[in-house]
Amino acid sequence: MSLKAPQESRQESRQESWRAWARGLTICAGAALMILMLDSAIHALLAQTPFGGPRPNAEPQVGGIVGWLLSKQSEFYREMSATIRAAKSDGSAVWTLLAISFAYGIFHAAGPGHGKAVISSYLVANQETARRGILLSFASALMQSLVAVVIVGICAWLLNATAKTMCGAEKAIEIVSYALIAAFGARLVWTKGGGFIRALQAPRPVPAMALAAAAHHDHAGHGHDHHDHDHSHAHAQGHAHAHAHLAHPDHEHRHDDHGHDHGHVHDEHCGHSHGPAPSELAGPGGWQRGFGAIFAVGIRPCSGAILVLVFALAQGLFWAGIAATFVMGLGTAITVATIAVIAVSAKDLAQRLSGTKEGDGALFMRGVEFGAAGLVLLLGAGLLFGYLAAERVTCF
Amino acid sequence: MNIAMRRLLGLLWLAGVVALGANTAQAHPHVWITATSELIYAPDGALTGVRHAWTFDDMFSTYALQGIETKTKGVYSREELGPLAQTNVESLKEFGFFTFARADGKKEKFQEPTDYYLEYKDAALTLHFLLPLKAPVKPKELAVEVFDPAFFIDFKFAEKNPVKLVGAPAACQMKFQRPNDGTANAQKLGEQNFLNGENSSFGMMFANKITVECP
């Protein structure tokens, strides 16, 4: 360093300070993100169930349209018991029940404590595609409905256990779910942490080189620095982008078959980090992890579904309750999938925006992924810890 | 700076989306209670406690009764519901019995409930219990609020005779205030409250407030 020309070293130090700033920003933003998520976790802790009913999910509130959604949700839920009662004498009321359940599912959004937060964070952390996000959302919602039906089916229908016993089973499952989310998050942090650290250590080109590199790799969707270019050129860039994205799933697949060299090819549109390419982490391991996410999230049933099922059982219409539960799950899946797709698109956008500088862009994205992985871990740990702290909640 | 700004915006958007994903719409009650309350006064004019009668909604009543064996199907005696009533009041302790009293602005604490029992009538369970104050108070202005800060339970007082004063000095005047329309309030509510962790302010809007002024 000391041997370098003064100008070069000044440039270097400017680069260095920019890097430090970017790192600081990443960390700060990551921390802010985590605080936001922790906030929801804390709400989950605050919202405990009196009378030992099923534990509610988090109780955060937002104003505006969401405020209206809240009241709708409440209305739908209240109508369910009356509709089930009506179905005893009038079979057509079952259709009303299904319609209400579907609407309730959509409004209620994520049944499992933080299902959508966990799934969205996982998708962001693991470089998943929107399509996988949708699949994961539907699979976890289906599993969640199944678990609710199985719990009530075994505890209430087969064993005629009391609500207190059933609540105990629910709590045990809840601990397992939170522990799984935490373990799952820990694993993500482990893999993503590696990528992040490698991205931090990766030698980044000095500005002049970065420019050259950007020009060179324009086809791969970089070089957004050139905003003063004419319109048609910008358009061409957009086109290149679409192409890069379409190629994405293909890459994952091919990488699986052929190994190393494809990872390198992929590197090109990941901003020249010499860390692992996303495809290395989202390949087959991605699916395995995907199942991990489905399981960790889907194993915790929705409190509302349990109440509806027990009520339907008591009315001698267990089957109607089961149908309602699955339809509710379908509605939930639609909302979770929508949120998941938004999260993935947001990340893609962030990736595009940060693609301006090769090294820092990669660092930034690895940082975001690392942050999202950390979020899954924190969510799981927070829920788990909160649960343990709230052990005194008594059940029936 | 341009790049930095764009990055920041991108990240903020991402954060917003994820946070919104975590925060959307779950605050709606799962349990509805129709309540009536009595404020119990001692002969010397001091308030000694609050007696509640809380009727649960159809769905929760059914849920709570799941698996409880009775001699006659569909008929639950007070004895058969005894253990359930005990679990109820024990569970309620953690939530401060959803009853928050202030005597001349000072917070008052309650003892363990006494006289508690469950009653099953018209497909609904009603929990009766007396909540004695730690120490009787004789304030000029008394305020008792009944609500669930987390809004898991929606407390609604009965249309007829929601609140009664029992043995209060004749000069005391009682006012009862129902919560405003929840929908309007939920819409007014800003995100700020939650970021501050003050989610109690949300449930507050659904509070039922009893005030008693004694000269």
Side-chain angles (χ1 to χ4, degrees):
Chain A
M1 243 243 229
S2 55
L3 291 175
K4 278 183 182 147
Q7 197 181 349
E8 205 176 334
S9 92
R10 204 185 310 139
Q11 226 170 16
E12 191 132 312
S13 77
R14 202 189 302 151
Q15 179 73 7
E16 197 60 51
S17 72
W18 154 250
R19 219 176 284 165
W21 186 81
R23 215 170 297 166
L25 177 66
T26 310
I27 292 163
C28 285
L33 205 73
M34 280 169 198
I35 287 165
L36 278 173
M37 304 295 286
L38 270 182
D39 181 58
S40 3
I42 287 160
H43 282 302
L45 315 186
L46 291 176
Q48 290 140 15
T49 320
F51 317 118
R55 272 163 69 91
N57 300 315
E59 303 287 336
Q61 291 85 22
V62 203
I65 298 166
V66 180
W68 174 79
L69 289 183
L70 290 180
S71 67
K72 277 285 148 215
Q73 207 180 336
S74 180
E75 259 172 53
F76 288 137
Y77 191 73
R78 262 223 111 159
E79 274 172 39
M80 267 187 232
S81 61
T83 317
I84 294 173
R85 271 196 194 283
K88 274 206 290 191
S89 50
D90 174 17
S92 68
V94 172
W95 294 109
T96 319
L97 174 69
L98 294 185
I100 293 171
S101 304
F102 182 68
Y104 175 75
I106 286 188
F107 284 125
H108 194 59
H114 297 276
K116 52 189 154 31
V118 171
I119 287 183
S120 300
S121 309
Y122 161 73
L123 293 173
V124 168
N126 215 34
Q127 288 266 359
E128 295 284 3
T129 58
R131 215 175 69 182
R132 271 195 190 175
I134 294 170
L135 274 170
L136 285 181
S137 307
F138 275 84
S140 61
L142 178 70
M143 177 165 173
Q144 216 196 328
S145 308
L146 267 174
V147 171
V149 171
V150 167
I151 288 181
V152 177
I154 292 178
C155 294
W157 186 57
L158 279 180
L159 304 175
N160 195 26
T162 57
K164 187 179 179 177
T165 314
M166 213 155 36
C167 183
E170 246 185 281
K171 279 183 152 189
I173 288 173
E174 196 176 54
I175 299 177
V176 172
S177 172
Y178 295 161
L180 280 174
I181 292 172
F184 180 70
R187 212 184 127 186
L188 273 179
V189 165
W190 180 254
T191 40
K192 294 299 157 186
F196 184 51
I197 287 164
R198 260 168 286 174
L200 274 177
Q201 289 167 345
R204 252 148 295 151
V206 292
M209 273 176 73
L211 267 179
H216 184 68
H217 293 285
D218 233 2
H219 65 279
H222 289 301
H224 281 267
D225 250 343
H226 311 289
H227 267 290
D228 40 9
H229 275 4
D230 63 60
H231 186 73
S232 66
H233 185 76
H235 196 78
Q237 278 186 2
H239 188 75
H241 254 299
H243 181 74
H245 278 280
L246 279 174
H248 204 102
D250 207 18
H251 259 299
E252 283 166 19
H253 187 72
R254 265 189 283 155
H255 170 72
D256 193 19
D257 294 298
H258 305 298
H260 262 324
D261 3 14
H262 285 284
H264 187 73
V265 172
H266 200 92
D267 249 0
E268 290 202 354
H269 65 83
C270 286
H272 272 280
S273 97
H274 293 281
S279 59
E280 278 175 60
L281 301 169
W287 263 126
Q288 223 173 25
R289 259 176 243 155
F291 283 124
I294 294 168
F295 196 74
V297 167
I299 195 173
R300 189 198 179 282
C302 165
S303 325
I306 300 262
L307 272 168
V308 169
L309 280 165
V310 172
F311 184 74
L313 178 65
Q315 307 305 321
L317 284 169
F318 194 33
W319 65 271
I322 294 174
T325 303
F326 280 104
V327 172
M328 226 188 272
L330 185 69
T332 303
I334 290 173
T335 308
V336 177
T338 309
I339 291 165
V341 168
I342 293 172
V344 170
S345 319
K347 194 221 170 180
D348 286 347
L349 183 93
Q351 182 152 28
R352 240 175 289 165
L353 291 178
S354 72
T356 43
K357 277 203 178 171
E358 303 276 307
D360 285 328
L363 173 63
F364 174 72
M365 288 322 291
R366 293 296 90 75
V368 167
E369 283 162 32
F370 181 56
L375 232 93
V376 177
L377 173 60
L378 276 176
L379 267 174
L383 291 169
L384 187 62
F385 175 75
Y387 175 79
L388 293 175
E391 185 112 45
R392 57 210 150 84
V393 179
T394 29
C395 269
F396 268 34
Chain B
M1 207 53 204
N2 191 17
I3 302 158
M5 285 308 286
R6 267 186 287 150
R7 274 178 199 201
L8 193 62
L9 281 177
L11 193 70
L12 283 178
W13 189 33
L14 187 67
V17 165
V18 176
L20 192 77
N23 273 336
T24 323
Q26 282 180 347
H28 78 104
H30 283 69
V31 179
W32 285 264
I33 286 178
T34 308
T36 56
S37 302
E38 291 175 355
L39 302 187
I40 314 291
Y41 287 83
D44 70 343
L47 178 80
T48 56
V50 183
R51 188 188 293 279
H52 287 305
W54 291 350
T55 304
F56 299 104
D57 67 287
D58 195 10
M59 184 121 72
F60 186 80
S61 298
T62 310
Y63 173 82
L65 289 172
Q66 159 61 35
I68 289 177
E69 305 283 349
T70 54
K71 278 191 213 126
T72 325
K73 203 172 181 277
V75 180
Y76 300 86
S77 68
R78 204 179 275 197
E79 290 70 38
E80 284 163 335
L81 293 173
L84 190 59
Q86 192 175 348
T87 317
N88 278 343
V89 288
E90 280 168 8
S91 308
L92 277 171
K93 192 183 173 187
E94 191 179 332
F95 304 94
F97 308 97
F98 299 113
T99 307
F100 309 94
R102 275 173 188 276
D104 288 328
K106 192 179 140 273
K107 270 188 193 163
E108 293 297 330
K109 284 187 175 156
F110 292 101
Q111 297 173 37
E112 309 274 314
T114 54
D115 269 352
Y116 53 85
Y117 63 94
L118 275 168
E119 197 180 33
Y120 184 71
K121 217 173 104 186
D122 302 329
L125 277 174
T126 304
L127 178 68
H128 298 262
F129 64 102
L130 173 68
L131 208 49
L133 277 171
K134 278 246 156 81
V137 284
K138 229 174 152 176
K140 273 202 172 125
E141 196 189 275
L142 172 83
V144 178
E145 285 178 292
V146 179
F147 69 100
D148 176 6
F151 201 43
F152 182 73
I153 304 170
D154 187 349
F155 281 94
K156 189 173 179 258
F157 272 74
E159 294 299 328
K160 250 172 129 185
N161 303 324
V163 185
K164 245 192 340 208
L165 302 187
V166 179
C172 291
Q173 286 212 320
M174 191 268 288
K175 262 195 294 184
F176 175 62
Q177 201 187 338
R178 291 177 192 277
N180 298 324
D181 176 41
T183 321
N185 280 319
Q187 284 179 1
K188 266 185 242 156
L189 194 78
E191 185 106 29
Q192 204 50 42
N193 306 38
F194 307 106
L195 294 178
N196 293 341
E198 290 167 7
N199 77 336
S200 58
S201 56
F202 182 73
M204 283 282 274
M205 293 187 300
F206 302 98
N208 298 273
K209 194 172 183 180
I210 307 163
T211 40
V212 183
E213 279 176 30
C214 299

